[in-house]
């Protein structure tokens, strides 16, 4: 147990956790790194960042989007993780190996440092100071001024709250995952293939 002196500022992870819970209503777990629980306020579609960046160029409006290392995470409506396998089959991607997955009820993701939506207690610090939780960052942060859930992609055509529908988002994500896989499989221009002299 860590004791703080009376009146001392809470640790950055504790302040971050409190910010997510109070401002967005999202449950958290863990202390360092803080984790967001999936399947409560949102589910997550996860894909390689290289495919995700290509997808974002084609789908300009999404819900919140985060990157952690080599992975991009798209926040989608709760229940969407369960729909992903059937949706991929319906879109005729069912038999294709894709690096496209979903995290739903019972899952967790690292809480991105709220750099774009930083609460006042985290805003203090030298200009250019690096976020202590820099491995996970928001590319498209959640809007703390309004409800986030209505802006999340969900099943059905047309989407809600300005976000695309889940079908369009998954179709584009699958296409870009497949393209990224094909590019990785191509030999480099100067690479020789087996049997070439």
């Amino acid at each position: 147990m860590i004791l703080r002196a009376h009146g001392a500022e809470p640790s950055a992870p504790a302040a971050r956790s409190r910010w997510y819970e109070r401002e967005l209503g999202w449950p958290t777990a863990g202390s360092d790194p803080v984790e967001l629980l999936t399947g409560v306020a949102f589910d997550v579609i996860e894909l390689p960042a290289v495919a995700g960046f290509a997808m974002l160029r084609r789908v300009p409006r999404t819900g919140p989007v985060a990157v952690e290392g080599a992975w991009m995470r798209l926040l989608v409506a709760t229940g969407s993780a369960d729909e992903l396998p059937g949706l991929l089959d319906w879109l005729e991607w069912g038999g294709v190996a894709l690096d496209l997955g979903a995290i739903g009820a019972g899952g967790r993701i690292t809480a991105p440092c709220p750099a774009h939506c930083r609460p006042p207690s985290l805003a203090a610090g030298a200009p250019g100071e690096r976020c202590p939780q820099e491995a996970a960052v928001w590319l498209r942060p959640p809007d703390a001024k309004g409800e986030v859930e209505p802006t999340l992609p969900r099943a059905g055509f047309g989407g809600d709250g300005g976000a695309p529908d889940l079908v369009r988002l998954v179709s584009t994500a699958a296409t870009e995952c497949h393209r990224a896989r094909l590019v990785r499989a191509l030999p480099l221009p100067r690479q020789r293939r087996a049997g070439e002299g």
Side-chain angles (χ1 to χ4, degrees):
M1 180 176 181
I2 299 173
L3 298 175
R4 286 190 281 124
H6 180 68
E9 279 293 310
S11 68
R16 189 174 305 120
S17 180
R18 243 189 342 274
W19 185 84
Y20 275 107
E21 290 175 355
R22 288 182 184 166
E23 296 297 319
L24 298 176
W26 294 351
T28 64
S31 60
D32 199 12
V34 174
E35 296 176 315
L36 301 175
L37 304 180
T38 59
V40 180
F42 60 85
D43 283 357
V44 171
I45 300 290
E46 187 175 59
L47 66 159
V50 68
F53 283 112
M55 185 210 70
L56 291 179
R57 286 190 293 274
R58 294 181 55 205
V59 182
R61 293 182 308 156
T62 65
V65 178
V67 171
E68 182 177 11
W71 294 95
M72 183 174 286
R73 295 184 173 133
L74 310 166
L75 274 57
V76 293
T78 54
S80 298
D82 294 335
E83 295 184 34
L84 184 63
L87 189 51
L88 288 171
D89 282 341
W90 185 73
L91 292 167
E92 298 184 3
W93 286 106
V96 180
L98 299 171
D99 293 327
L100 181 63
I103 307 168
R108 298 175 180 200
I109 63 168
T110 303
C113 184
H116 294 98
C117 40
R118 192 172 285 196
S121 62
L122 292 178
E129 181 180 10
R130 299 192 83 141
C131 177
Q133 200 170 342
E134 64 194 40
V137 295
W138 287 112
L139 291 179
R140 296 181 178 173
D143 182 9
K145 296 174 187 153
E147 286 188 52
V148 176
E149 286 77 15
T151 68
L152 299 177
R154 63 186 70 248
F157 293 100
D160 254 352
D165 61 82
L166 186 64
V167 173
R168 196 167 292 132
L169 188 73
V170 169
S171 176
T172 307
T175 299
E176 295 304 337
C177 284
H178 185 62
R179 283 183 180 156
R181 188 180 270 282
L182 290 175
V183 167
R184 282 194 315 264
L186 292 174
L188 296 175
R190 293 189 170 214
Q191 254 181 341
R192 291 187 177 169
R193 298 181 185 176
E196 290 182 350

